[in-house]
Amino acid sequence: MPPRSDRPSGDIGIQADDEHGRLLEFLYRCPVGIIEMRQSGDIQLINAYASQMLMPLATHAKGADLSNLLTLLAPFTGEIRALVDGAAGQMGGQPAGDHGVICTNHRVHLAGARDAGGRPLFLGFTIHRIQPDSFLVSFYDDSIRVAQEAAIAEAIEVQAHQAGRIEIAANTMHDIGNAMSGLGGVIGRLSDSGQWRELEAIRRLVDLFRGSEAELSHALGPGKGPALIQYVEALTSALAQREDEHRAVGREVSATIHHVQDVLTIQRQLARDGSRGGPVRGPGDDLGDDLGHGPGTVGPRRILRVHDLVHDALVITESSLSRRQIRVEVDIPAELPPIAADRTRMLQVLVNLLGNATDAFETLDAGSALAGPGSRQRRDRRIQLRARLAGGRASLRVRDNGPGFEPGHAARLMERGESTKPGGTGLGLATSRATVEAYGGSMQLESEGPGHGAQVTIELPCCEPGEDTA
Amino acid sequence: MDDNSLTTPSPAFDAPGLHEALDAMSPDEIDDLPFGVVRLDEQLAVSLYNQEESRLSGLTPARVLGKPFFTAVAPCLDNALVGGRYQNEAALDETREYVLAFRMKPIQARLRLLKRAGQAWSYFCATPL
């Protein structure tokens, strides 16, 4: 049965003056725990918040006991007792030592206790001695702040780790780069050395003999003269062939070294872009680095043939493409006019696009929902690079038959920091687009939907054939 | 009141049917009880604050009526042991020991938490040991 409606019971008048009630209410609502206690810990006065915070710690088999703060805290920490006893001992002998600050916002961990959110409980204590045996203890819940500080510290450590690893990688690449330069120099010297002088000398010797077949035959025996000359000629020819092979090997090694240097250049640039703290400086780096520019700017332009760019990019990514059994189809007409751009930057862009397409196939490897029996099996993975002239601009399309994505997501994927790749930073697409746009071009990312592959279309202004950059 | 009628003895703090008894009593009768009684509405605001509770806390009913009990009137109860239970549980009938900060003194007391499923109001009772 519901109670009859209330009527105000009137002012009870226990505390007749309103100011007293107001003060009590003020103290009840104070959101900081306040306790007045003796040095022993016996509690004289306690406010509501202190009771609220301490009751969960005080409750045990015998019932609730909040008569002594230090006894209550003992199972969790001895620090407050130590502070109070230590300071009191120090102050005890001094005439003016009846009062003073014992600690301010001193953080104490209550081992084994949890706050309302289940976090390890930390309290911050401010303790004043107000009389020889009277201490005013004020405290608050610091647990949330401790948790936040731990999260920040962890994030900083992760970032430092990351920066450290990028720095190691950059240094390693710098060292490899130097070694490559040294090797390139050696190979260059071998290749540049002219035709073997010894070979030339032998040829002259043969010419010398040629006029003296009769004398040679007389000295060595019938028919031996011409035979000797033929023999030496054959030997010379074999040596000349060996010299050609030697030189061809030198050229191949030289080309490989340039390839490695290209890879290093690109990867070092990607490492710089990837480290959030800004460019990672390797030893010997100055502001005029391998590109002659800092990050975010574009290099000097050169006339570049799209066909050569694509070929070089494919050379760089060759091993990762073949490892995933991705077939590449190239359709670039020879008469396509060249573009004007920095070769290394454009290589970076193409390597990034090829890398994205390659990584897209990776999600199929991981057994995504799209990898059903009818979808792209390993043997049917394709990346198609097709270039055409379109309104005075070279249009290069990189299309893959990988998983694709929701059509509406294109803009989001191009934003810095967005990625569908596990562990991807999403920086590649944004940087590539910035590079292309800096050269007066455009980049577009499209997909007809999941399971229908994706394509990137880059357009760049063409040069007149024969145009030169200043 | 009729002299010949039998007055119902006021319920004891530990009485099993305390909740029903309180429901049947008038505010004046609840005021006469020897232990503190607070009735809370559905939002856990104070709808009744009896004389004994007022004497213990030093707060007049006028000061507390309509205010959220656990956060604005008696914050010493605002934890999982007491206030949280009214918020999270549909029905309560519990007695527990607790130290209340009545007028800033540590007062050892027994609490009775009363809530019935489906009913909009609930009771909080307290008696010093």
Side-chain angles (χ1 to χ4, degrees), chain B residues 55-72:
Chain B
R55 192 187 69 85
L56 289 166
S57 71
L59 300 172
T60 62
R63 186 168 285 288
V64 304
L65 278 171
K67 292 190 178 159
F69 181 58
F70 294 106
T71 53

Side-chain angles (χ1 to χ4, degrees), chain A residues 1 3 6-7 9 11 15 18 21-22 24-25 27-29 45-48 51-52 55-56 59 64 66, chain B residues 23 28 31 39 47-48 57-60 63 67 72 75-76 78-79 81 96 98-99 101 103-104 106 108:
Chain A
M1 194 166 75
D6 288 323
R7 50 184 171 80
S9 20
D11 205 4
Q15 264 78 22
D18 197 51
R22 185 79 181 85
L24 279 175
E25 189 183 31
L27 282 172
Y28 281 142
R29 298 190 66 162
L45 290 174
I46 180 171
N47 79 332
S51 174
Q52 180 205 118
M55 276 307 301
T59 306
L66 213 44
Chain B
D23 282 348
D28 280 346
D31 264 344
R39 194 171 72 223
S47 61
L48 182 145
S57 71
L59 300 172
T60 62
R63 186 168 285 288
K67 292 190 178 159
C76 62
D78 189 18
N79 54 30
L81 298 178
R96 72 168 305 127
Y98 205 84
V99 178
R103 303 205 309 283
M104 310 315 134
Q108 203 122 24

Side-chain angles (χ1 to χ4, degrees), chain A residues 172-187 257 260-261 264:
Chain A
T172 304
M173 289 194 279
H174 187 95
D175 292 342
I176 292 177
N178 284 346
M180 282 296 122
S181 297
L183 197 55
V186 168
I187 295 297
I257 288 172
V260 171
Q261 284 174 323
L264 287 176

Side-chain angles (χ1 to χ4, degrees), chain A residues 420-441:
Chain A
T420 55
K421 290 187 273 190
T425 60
L427 287 167
L429 271 178
T431 310
S432 296
R433 183 207 228 165
T435 304
V436 166
E437 287 176 355
Y439 289 127

Side-chain angles (χ1 to χ4, degrees), chain B residues 18-60:
Chain B
L18 180 59
H19 194 131
E20 293 79 1
L22 289 171
D23 282 348
M25 292 165 76
S26 69
D28 280 346
E29 288 168 329
I30 296 181
D31 264 344
D32 289 338
L33 288 172
F35 47 88
V37 176
V38 184
R39 194 171 72 223
L40 311 172
D41 68 13
E42 206 165 16
Q43 278 75 42
L44 301 181
V46 177
S47 61
L48 182 145
Y49 199 74
N50 85 338
Q51 184 173 336
E52 178 64 7
E53 184 74 14
S54 179
R55 192 187 69 85
L56 289 166
S57 71
L59 300 172
T60 62

